Amino acid sequence: MKEQKWIHEGLITDSLPNGMFRVRLDNEDLVLGYVSGKIRRSFIRILPGDKVKIEVSRYDSTRGRIIYRLRNKDSKD
């Protein structure tokens, strides 16, 4: 059986080296997130201030995988 994961929405607060980001979840938790391969392959830019969906493991709730960048109302994408 596959590992169950929680999906949260959060805000990118810091950009770290090697495609890692610090994400503040909606419940105020800080998570270390890395970019999923699908986002990396599509050359989607993630910058501090972006809203993202992040998949967090139930076993280690301090790390997660960024799986989607939500669209901002004020940007032109």
Side-chain angles (χ1 to χ4, degrees):
M1 193 167 101
K2 265 179 75 169
E3 177 187 346
Q4 296 292 316
K5 297 189 181 341
W6 289 313
I7 295 180
H8 295 283
E9 287 188 10
L11 187 74
I12 303 287
T13 58
D14 291 331
S15 177
L16 304 172
N18 297 332
M20 303 284 270
F21 296 92
R22 190 152 330 243
V23 182
R24 182 177 303 281
L25 301 180
D26 289 345
N27 60 4
E28 297 301 316
D29 287 346
L30 275 176
V31 175
L32 189 66
Y34 64 93
V35 180
S36 73
K38 196 181 226 183
I39 291 180
R40 197 179 298 252
R41 217 173 30 240
S42 303
F43 299 108
I44 295 173
R45 304 277 297 160
I46 297 178
L47 299 170
D50 286 345
K51 294 260 313 167
V52 293
K53 275 190 186 177
I54 187 164
E55 192 176 68
V56 180
S57 169
R58 293 185 184 221
Y59 300 112
D60 185 6
S61 60
T62 63
R63 298 174 66 90
R65 180 171 60 185
I66 298 169
I67 57 172
Y68 192 76
R69 185 178 133 247
L70 299 169
R71 294 191 185 276
N72 296 339
K73 295 182 197 78
D74 55 345
S75 68
K76 299 180 192 77
D77 30 277

